[in-house]
Amino acid sequence: MTDEPTEEGMESAPERADQYSCTRSVLDGTPDAAVVSNLGVASYVLASVTEGDRPRNFYQWGSMGVTTSVGLGLALATDDPVTVLEGDGSLLMSLGVLSTVARYDPDNLVVVLWNNEVYGTTGGQSLRAGHTDFAGVAESCGLAAVTVRSTSAFDDAYHDAVNSAGASLIVCHVDPVDPDARPPFDYPYIARRARDSLVGASGE
């Protein structure tokens, strides 16, 4: 006969933010932002919480590893706010982009990294990168960064990042999710409507 584990001896699971709620906070907090979302789950969640047609949702397809690069280029081309919804597996493929973001440091760019420690779009395989301190890497590159583990902490961090004098990275720990929603799969159309919404707003 074995003793039942006591509450004192059990380790509680680490707190994690809710990706859906945090994504809604991005849309509510920066309604005019161009939101560049990583292929797969980040885009599916964005599509899930978006009401109606939102041309400034710039969903990525077939582009793993370049989401932050696309967001940086967009931020340098417009004065409007740009938020990147990045995946940990995607950013792991291109960590050098953090140095480039720090070099240009546009004050209209916020990069949100969903850290769920899996390749969610391809079946939930482990990322094998729990030892990687993404915020530490960013800071070593000269980029302001913060790590959060709750929805309320994310809300505060996002508000601070949007109002900061330079680019920022928010590493947000979340649980893996499997949304049913899917954005349009017509990538040329997605890119064109995002461009037109920004160019039209600038009057160019």
PDB file of all heavy atoms in Angstrom, residues 5-37:
ATOM      1  N   PRO A   5      -0.074  11.072  -2.281  1.00  0.00           N
ATOM      2  CA  PRO A   5       0.777  12.269  -2.172  1.00  0.00           C
ATOM      3  C   PRO A   5       0.042  13.376  -1.429  1.00  0.00           C
ATOM      4  O   PRO A   5      -1.151  13.599  -1.644  1.00  0.00           O
ATOM      5  CB  PRO A   5       1.049  12.654  -3.627  1.00  0.00           C
ATOM      6  CG  PRO A   5      -0.044  12.023  -4.405  1.00  0.00           C
ATOM      7  CD  PRO A   5      -0.402  10.752  -3.673  1.00  0.00           C
ATOM      8  N   THR A   6       0.724  14.004  -0.534  1.00  0.00           N
ATOM      9  CA  THR A   6       0.130  15.113   0.202  1.00  0.00           C
ATOM     10  C   THR A   6       0.178  16.368  -0.641  1.00  0.00           C
ATOM     11  O   THR A   6       0.997  16.500  -1.551  1.00  0.00           O
ATOM     12  CB  THR A   6       0.895  15.361   1.514  1.00  0.00           C
ATOM     13  OG1 THR A   6       2.231  15.749   1.196  1.00  0.00           O
ATOM     14  CG2 THR A   6       0.911  14.112   2.370  1.00  0.00           C
ATOM     15  N   GLU A   7      -0.715  17.294  -0.323  1.00  0.00           N
ATOM     16  CA  GLU A   7      -0.765  18.548  -1.069  1.00  0.00           C
ATOM     17  C   GLU A   7       0.542  19.309  -0.931  1.00  0.00           C
ATOM     18  O   GLU A   7       1.009  19.962  -1.860  1.00  0.00           O
ATOM     19  CB  GLU A   7      -1.925  19.389  -0.542  1.00  0.00           C
ATOM     20  CG  GLU A   7      -2.230  20.601  -1.401  1.00  0.00           C
ATOM     21  CD  GLU A   7      -3.506  21.280  -0.998  1.00  0.00           C
ATOM     22  OE1 GLU A   7      -4.521  20.574  -0.855  1.00  0.00           O
ATOM     23  OE2 GLU A   7      -3.482  22.503  -0.821  1.00  0.00           O
ATOM     24  N   GLU A   8       1.169  19.142   0.249  1.00  0.00           N
ATOM     25  CA  GLU A   8       2.417  19.841   0.501  1.00  0.00           C
ATOM     26  C   GLU A   8       3.541  19.312  -0.377  1.00  0.00           C
ATOM     27  O   GLU A   8       4.426  20.039  -0.800  1.00  0.00           O
ATOM     28  CB  GLU A   8       2.792  19.700   1.976  1.00  0.00           C
ATOM     29  CG  GLU A   8       4.058  20.440   2.368  1.00  0.00           C
ATOM     30  CD  GLU A   8       4.371  20.288   3.837  1.00  0.00           C
ATOM     31  OE1 GLU A   8       3.546  19.738   4.570  1.00  0.00           O
ATOM     32  OE2 GLU A   8       5.468  20.728   4.242  1.00  0.00           O
ATOM     33  N   GLY A   9       3.491  17.991  -0.688  1.00  0.00           N
ATOM     34  CA  GLY A   9       4.571  17.384  -1.455  1.00  0.00           C
ATOM     35  C   GLY A   9       4.385  17.449  -2.954  1.00  0.00           C
ATOM     36  O   GLY A   9       5.253  17.024  -3.709  1.00  0.00           O
ATOM     37  N   MET A  10       3.243  17.937  -3.399  1.00  0.00           N
ATOM     38  CA  MET A  10       2.975  18.002  -4.840  1.00  0.00           C
ATOM     39  C   MET A  10       3.414  19.353  -5.391  1.00  0.00           C
ATOM     40  O   MET A  10       3.161  20.394  -4.800  1.00  0.00           O
ATOM     41  CB  MET A  10       1.479  17.802  -5.119  1.00  0.00           C
ATOM     42  CG  MET A  10       0.972  16.416  -4.737  1.00  0.00           C
ATOM     43  SD  MET A  10      -0.811  16.262  -4.964  1.00  0.00           S
ATOM     44  CE  MET A  10      -0.976  16.466  -6.717  1.00  0.00           C
ATOM     45  N   GLU A  11       4.080  19.309  -6.546  1.00  0.00           N
ATOM     46  CA  GLU A  11       4.494  20.543  -7.188  1.00  0.00           C
ATOM     47  C   GLU A  11       3.386  21.028  -8.114  1.00  0.00           C
ATOM     48  O   GLU A  11       2.865  20.272  -8.919  1.00  0.00           O
ATOM     49  CB  GLU A  11       5.772  20.327  -8.000  1.00  0.00           C
ATOM     50  CG  GLU A  11       7.002  20.066  -7.158  1.00  0.00           C
ATOM     51  CD  GLU A  11       8.255  20.029  -8.010  1.00  0.00           C
ATOM     52  OE1 GLU A  11       8.156  20.383  -9.204  1.00  0.00           O
ATOM     53  OE2 GLU A  11       9.305  19.646  -7.494  1.00  0.00           O
ATOM     54  N   SER A  12       3.011  22.262  -7.962  1.00  0.00           N
ATOM     55  CA  SER A  12       1.973  22.826  -8.828  1.00  0.00           C
ATOM     56  C   SER A  12       2.564  23.155 -10.189  1.00  0.00           C
ATOM     57  O   SER A  12       3.745  23.496 -10.305  1.00  0.00           O
ATOM     58  CB  SER A  12       1.379  24.094  -8.203  1.00  0.00           C
ATOM     59  OG  SER A  12       2.387  25.055  -8.000  1.00  0.00           O
ATOM     60  N   ALA A  13       1.727  23.035 -11.217  1.00  0.00           N
ATOM     61  CA  ALA A  13       2.177  23.350 -12.574  1.00  0.00           C
ATOM     62  C   ALA A  13       2.467  24.842 -12.664  1.00  0.00           C
ATOM     63  O   ALA A  13       1.787  25.655 -12.041  1.00  0.00           O
ATOM     64  CB  ALA A  13       1.107  22.963 -13.584  1.00  0.00           C
ATOM     65  N   PRO A  14       3.500  25.222 -13.408  1.00  0.00           N
ATOM     66  CA  PRO A  14       3.816  26.648 -13.541  1.00  0.00           C
ATOM     67  C   PRO A  14       2.662  27.392 -14.201  1.00  0.00           C
ATOM     68  O   PRO A  14       1.989  26.860 -15.084  1.00  0.00           O
ATOM     69  CB  PRO A  14       5.065  26.656 -14.427  1.00  0.00           C
ATOM     70  CG  PRO A  14       5.053  25.343 -15.142  1.00  0.00           C
ATOM     71  CD  PRO A  14       4.412  24.372 -14.194  1.00  0.00           C
ATOM     72  N   GLU A  15       2.433  28.598 -13.757  1.00  0.00           N
ATOM     73  CA  GLU A  15       1.353  29.411 -14.310  1.00  0.00           C
ATOM     74  C   GLU A  15       1.664  29.774 -15.753  1.00  0.00           C
ATOM     75  O   GLU A  15       2.810  30.020 -16.111  1.00  0.00           O
ATOM     76  CB  GLU A  15       1.181  30.686 -13.487  1.00  0.00           C
ATOM     77  CG  GLU A  15      -0.005  31.525 -13.924  1.00  0.00           C
ATOM     78  CD  GLU A  15      -0.226  32.739 -13.044  1.00  0.00           C
ATOM     79  OE1 GLU A  15       0.651  33.030 -12.210  1.00  0.00           O
ATOM     80  OE2 GLU A  15      -1.279  33.378 -13.195  1.00  0.00           O
ATOM     81  N   ARG A  16       0.615  29.762 -16.572  1.00  0.00           N
ATOM     82  CA  ARG A  16       0.771  30.143 -17.966  1.00  0.00           C
ATOM     83  C   ARG A  16      -0.374  31.054 -18.372  1.00  0.00           C
ATOM     84  O   ARG A  16      -1.488  30.931 -17.853  1.00  0.00           O
ATOM     85  CB  ARG A  16       0.802  28.912 -18.879  1.00  0.00           C
ATOM     86  CG  ARG A  16       2.060  28.063 -18.708  1.00  0.00           C
ATOM     87  CD  ARG A  16       2.025  26.832 -19.588  1.00  0.00           C
ATOM     88  NE  ARG A  16       3.230  26.029 -19.431  1.00  0.00           N
ATOM     89  CZ  ARG A  16       4.312  26.149 -20.166  1.00  0.00           C
ATOM     90  NH1 ARG A  16       4.341  27.048 -21.131  1.00  0.00           N
ATOM     91  NH2 ARG A  16       5.366  25.384 -19.968  1.00  0.00           N
ATOM     92  N   ALA A  17      -0.091  31.947 -19.282  1.00  0.00           N
ATOM     93  CA  ALA A  17      -1.106  32.881 -19.772  1.00  0.00           C
ATOM     94  C   ALA A  17      -2.039  32.172 -20.749  1.00  0.00           C
ATOM     95  O   ALA A  17      -1.730  31.101 -21.284  1.00  0.00           O
ATOM     96  CB  ALA A  17      -0.436  34.075 -20.445  1.00  0.00           C
ATOM     97  N   ASP A  18      -3.187  32.789 -21.001  1.00  0.00           N
ATOM     98  CA  ASP A  18      -4.146  32.272 -21.972  1.00  0.00           C
ATOM     99  C   ASP A  18      -3.903  32.961 -23.309  1.00  0.00           C
ATOM    100  O   ASP A  18      -4.053  34.184 -23.428  1.00  0.00           O
ATOM    101  CB  ASP A  18      -5.576  32.544 -21.497  1.00  0.00           C
ATOM    102  CG  ASP A  18      -6.612  32.020 -22.467  1.00  0.00           C
ATOM    103  OD1 ASP A  18      -6.954  30.829 -22.368  1.00  0.00           O
ATOM    104  OD2 ASP A  18      -7.048  32.783 -23.351  1.00  0.00           O
ATOM    105  N   GLN A  19      -3.524  32.188 -24.314  1.00  0.00           N
ATOM    106  CA  GLN A  19      -3.139  32.775 -25.590  1.00  0.00           C
ATOM    107  C   GLN A  19      -4.295  33.501 -26.269  1.00  0.00           C
ATOM    108  O   GLN A  19      -4.095  34.541 -26.912  1.00  0.00           O
ATOM    109  CB  GLN A  19      -2.574  31.693 -26.529  1.00  0.00           C
ATOM    110  CG  GLN A  19      -1.969  32.251 -27.810  1.00  0.00           C
ATOM    111  CD  GLN A  19      -1.231  31.188 -28.622  1.00  0.00           C
ATOM    112  OE1 GLN A  19      -0.887  30.124 -28.096  1.00  0.00           O
ATOM    113  NE2 GLN A  19      -0.989  31.464 -29.881  1.00  0.00           N
ATOM    114  N   TYR A  20      -5.501  32.961 -26.128  1.00  0.00           N
ATOM    115  CA  TYR A  20      -6.655  33.620 -26.728  1.00  0.00           C
ATOM    116  C   TYR A  20      -6.888  34.993 -26.096  1.00  0.00           C
ATOM    117  O   TYR A  20      -7.084  35.993 -26.794  1.00  0.00           O
ATOM    118  CB  TYR A  20      -7.907  32.756 -26.553  1.00  0.00           C
ATOM    119  CG  TYR A  20      -7.908  31.478 -27.341  1.00  0.00           C
ATOM    120  CD1 TYR A  20      -7.417  30.295 -26.791  1.00  0.00           C
ATOM    121  CD2 TYR A  20      -8.422  31.435 -28.639  1.00  0.00           C
ATOM    122  CE1 TYR A  20      -7.431  29.110 -27.512  1.00  0.00           C
ATOM    123  CE2 TYR A  20      -8.441  30.253 -29.368  1.00  0.00           C
ATOM    124  CZ  TYR A  20      -7.944  29.089 -28.797  1.00  0.00           C
ATOM    125  OH  TYR A  20      -7.947  27.919 -29.511  1.00  0.00           O
ATOM    126  N   SER A  21      -6.873  35.042 -24.763  1.00  0.00           N
ATOM    127  CA  SER A  21      -7.106  36.313 -24.069  1.00  0.00           C
ATOM    128  C   SER A  21      -6.018  37.323 -24.382  1.00  0.00           C
ATOM    129  O   SER A  21      -6.288  38.516 -24.579  1.00  0.00           O
ATOM    130  CB  SER A  21      -7.186  36.071 -22.556  1.00  0.00           C
ATOM    131  OG  SER A  21      -8.296  35.270 -22.223  1.00  0.00           O
ATOM    132  N   CYS A  22      -4.787  36.855 -24.429  1.00  0.00           N
ATOM    133  CA  CYS A  22      -3.675  37.766 -24.730  1.00  0.00           C
ATOM    134  C   CYS A  22      -3.780  38.306 -26.153  1.00  0.00           C
ATOM    135  O   CYS A  22      -3.492  39.485 -26.402  1.00  0.00           O
ATOM    136  CB  CYS A  22      -2.346  37.052 -24.527  1.00  0.00           C
ATOM    137  SG  CYS A  22      -1.976  36.623 -22.806  1.00  0.00           S
ATOM    138  N   THR A  23      -4.184  37.462 -27.081  1.00  0.00           N
ATOM    139  CA  THR A  23      -4.344  37.920 -28.468  1.00  0.00           C
ATOM    140  C   THR A  23      -5.466  38.944 -28.563  1.00  0.00           C
ATOM    141  O   THR A  23      -5.354  39.948 -29.289  1.00  0.00           O
ATOM    142  CB  THR A  23      -4.612  36.733 -29.405  1.00  0.00           C
ATOM    143  OG1 THR A  23      -3.556  35.765 -29.273  1.00  0.00           O
ATOM    144  CG2 THR A  23      -4.689  37.182 -30.860  1.00  0.00           C
ATOM    145  N   ARG A  24      -6.549  38.716 -27.822  1.00  0.00           N
ATOM    146  CA  ARG A  24      -7.620  39.730 -27.781  1.00  0.00           C
ATOM    147  C   ARG A  24      -7.102  41.045 -27.227  1.00  0.00           C
ATOM    148  O   ARG A  24      -7.476  42.128 -27.701  1.00  0.00           O
ATOM    149  CB  ARG A  24      -8.783  39.229 -26.912  1.00  0.00           C
ATOM    150  CG  ARG A  24      -9.621  38.126 -27.528  1.00  0.00           C
ATOM    151  CD  ARG A  24     -10.888  37.856 -26.744  1.00  0.00           C
ATOM    152  NE  ARG A  24     -11.522  36.616 -27.148  1.00  0.00           N
ATOM    153  CZ  ARG A  24     -11.350  35.450 -26.543  1.00  0.00           C
ATOM    154  NH1 ARG A  24     -10.549  35.377 -25.480  1.00  0.00           N
ATOM    155  NH2 ARG A  24     -11.952  34.364 -26.988  1.00  0.00           N
ATOM    156  N   SER A  25      -6.243  40.961 -26.230  1.00  0.00           N
ATOM    157  CA  SER A  25      -5.682  42.178 -25.629  1.00  0.00           C
ATOM    158  C   SER A  25      -4.871  42.971 -26.645  1.00  0.00           C
ATOM    159  O   SER A  25      -4.864  44.206 -26.629  1.00  0.00           O
ATOM    160  CB  SER A  25      -4.802  41.820 -24.427  1.00  0.00           C
ATOM    161  OG  SER A  25      -5.569  41.282 -23.378  1.00  0.00           O
ATOM    162  N   VAL A  26      -4.177  42.258 -27.529  1.00  0.00           N
ATOM    163  CA  VAL A  26      -3.418  42.928 -28.593  1.00  0.00           C
ATOM    164  C   VAL A  26      -4.367  43.711 -29.496  1.00  0.00           C
ATOM    165  O   VAL A  26      -4.132  44.887 -29.804  1.00  0.00           O
ATOM    166  CB  VAL A  26      -2.616  41.902 -29.415  1.00  0.00           C
ATOM    167  CG1 VAL A  26      -2.064  42.533 -30.691  1.00  0.00           C
ATOM    168  CG2 VAL A  26      -1.482  41.327 -28.578  1.00  0.00           C
ATOM    169  N   LEU A  27      -5.458  43.080 -29.907  1.00  0.00           N
ATOM    170  CA  LEU A  27      -6.407  43.739 -30.792  1.00  0.00           C
ATOM    171  C   LEU A  27      -7.121  44.888 -30.091  1.00  0.00           C
ATOM    172  O   LEU A  27      -7.352  45.949 -30.686  1.00  0.00           O
ATOM    173  CB  LEU A  27      -7.423  42.730 -31.322  1.00  0.00           C
ATOM    174  CG  LEU A  27      -6.869  41.584 -32.169  1.00  0.00           C
ATOM    175  CD1 LEU A  27      -7.994  40.674 -32.642  1.00  0.00           C
ATOM    176  CD2 LEU A  27      -6.076  42.104 -33.357  1.00  0.00           C
ATOM    177  N   ASP A  28      -7.474  44.688 -28.816  1.00  0.00           N
ATOM    178  CA  ASP A  28      -8.170  45.736 -28.076  1.00  0.00           C
ATOM    179  C   ASP A  28      -7.237  46.900 -27.736  1.00  0.00           C
ATOM    180  O   ASP A  28      -7.633  48.069 -27.773  1.00  0.00           O
ATOM    181  CB  ASP A  28      -8.758  45.173 -26.775  1.00  0.00           C
ATOM    182  CG  ASP A  28      -9.895  44.192 -27.021  1.00  0.00           C
ATOM    183  OD1 ASP A  28     -10.452  44.197 -28.142  1.00  0.00           O
ATOM    184  OD2 ASP A  28     -10.224  43.419 -26.097  1.00  0.00           O
ATOM    185  N   GLY A  29      -5.995  46.571 -27.396  1.00  0.00           N
ATOM    186  CA  GLY A  29      -5.058  47.608 -26.971  1.00  0.00           C
ATOM    187  C   GLY A  29      -4.476  48.411 -28.110  1.00  0.00           C
ATOM    188  O   GLY A  29      -4.111  49.582 -27.938  1.00  0.00           O
ATOM    189  N   THR A  30      -4.376  47.780 -29.288  1.00  0.00           N
ATOM    190  CA  THR A  30      -3.830  48.463 -30.474  1.00  0.00           C
ATOM    191  C   THR A  30      -4.716  48.152 -31.682  1.00  0.00           C
ATOM    192  O   THR A  30      -4.332  47.398 -32.572  1.00  0.00           O
ATOM    193  CB  THR A  30      -2.377  48.015 -30.749  1.00  0.00           C
ATOM    194  OG1 THR A  30      -2.304  46.570 -30.676  1.00  0.00           O
ATOM    195  CG2 THR A  30      -1.418  48.609 -29.734  1.00  0.00           C
ATOM    196  N   PRO A  31      -5.911  48.731 -31.693  1.00  0.00           N
ATOM    197  CA  PRO A  31      -6.880  48.386 -32.758  1.00  0.00           C
ATOM    198  C   PRO A  31      -6.410  48.762 -34.155  1.00  0.00           C
ATOM    199  O   PRO A  31      -6.896  48.189 -35.134  1.00  0.00           O
ATOM    200  CB  PRO A  31      -8.133  49.183 -32.357  1.00  0.00           C
ATOM    201  CG  PRO A  31      -7.637  50.277 -31.471  1.00  0.00           C
ATOM    202  CD  PRO A  31      -6.464  49.703 -30.744  1.00  0.00           C
ATOM    203  N   ASP A  32      -5.471  49.693 -34.269  1.00  0.00           N
ATOM    204  CA  ASP A  32      -4.981  50.106 -35.583  1.00  0.00           C
ATOM    205  C   ASP A  32      -3.688  49.401 -35.991  1.00  0.00           C
ATOM    206  O   ASP A  32      -3.136  49.685 -37.058  1.00  0.00           O
ATOM    207  CB  ASP A  32      -4.742  51.619 -35.599  1.00  0.00           C
ATOM    208  CG  ASP A  32      -6.026  52.409 -35.419  1.00  0.00           C
ATOM    209  OD1 ASP A  32      -7.085  51.923 -35.873  1.00  0.00           O
ATOM    210  OD2 ASP A  32      -5.978  53.497 -34.812  1.00  0.00           O
ATOM    211  N   ALA A  33      -3.200  48.497 -35.164  1.00  0.00           N
ATOM    212  CA  ALA A  33      -1.916  47.855 -35.446  1.00  0.00           C
ATOM    213  C   ALA A  33      -2.021  46.867 -36.607  1.00  0.00           C
ATOM    214  O   ALA A  33      -3.043  46.188 -36.782  1.00  0.00           O
ATOM    215  CB  ALA A  33      -1.399  47.132 -34.212  1.00  0.00           C
ATOM    216  N   ALA A  34      -0.947  46.785 -37.373  1.00  0.00           N
ATOM    217  CA  ALA A  34      -0.774  45.667 -38.292  1.00  0.00           C
ATOM    218  C   ALA A  34      -0.256  44.506 -37.456  1.00  0.00           C
ATOM    219  O   ALA A  34       0.751  44.642 -36.758  1.00  0.00           O
ATOM    220  CB  ALA A  34       0.224  46.021 -39.378  1.00  0.00           C
ATOM    221  N   VAL A  35      -0.957  43.380 -37.480  1.00  0.00           N
ATOM    222  CA  VAL A  35      -0.587  42.232 -36.665  1.00  0.00           C
ATOM    223  C   VAL A  35      -0.067  41.125 -37.571  1.00  0.00           C
ATOM    224  O   VAL A  35      -0.821  40.544 -38.361  1.00  0.00           O
ATOM    225  CB  VAL A  35      -1.784  41.725 -35.829  1.00  0.00           C
ATOM    226  CG1 VAL A  35      -1.362  40.531 -34.977  1.00  0.00           C
ATOM    227  CG2 VAL A  35      -2.325  42.846 -34.945  1.00  0.00           C
ATOM    228  N   VAL A  36       1.226  40.857 -37.478  1.00  0.00           N
ATOM    229  CA  VAL A  36       1.877  39.844 -38.304  1.00  0.00           C
ATOM    230  C   VAL A  36       1.956  38.563 -37.481  1.00  0.00           C
ATOM    231  O   VAL A  36       2.656  38.504 -36.471  1.00  0.00           O
ATOM    232  CB  VAL A  36       3.295  40.290 -38.715  1.00  0.00           C
ATOM    233  CG1 VAL A  36       3.937  39.258 -39.634  1.00  0.00           C
ATOM    234  CG2 VAL A  36       3.262  41.649 -39.387  1.00  0.00           C
ATOM    235  N   SER A  37       1.224  37.533 -37.902  1.00  0.00           N
ATOM    236  CA  SER A  37       1.134  36.314 -37.096  1.00  0.00           C
ATOM    237  C   SER A  37       1.861  35.151 -37.757  1.00  0.00           C
ATOM    238  O   SER A  37       1.750  34.928 -38.970  1.00  0.00           O
ATOM    239  CB  SER A  37      -0.328  35.941 -36.836  1.00  0.00           C
ATOM    240  OG  SER A  37      -1.045  35.820 -38.055  1.00  0.00           O
TER     241      SER A  37
END
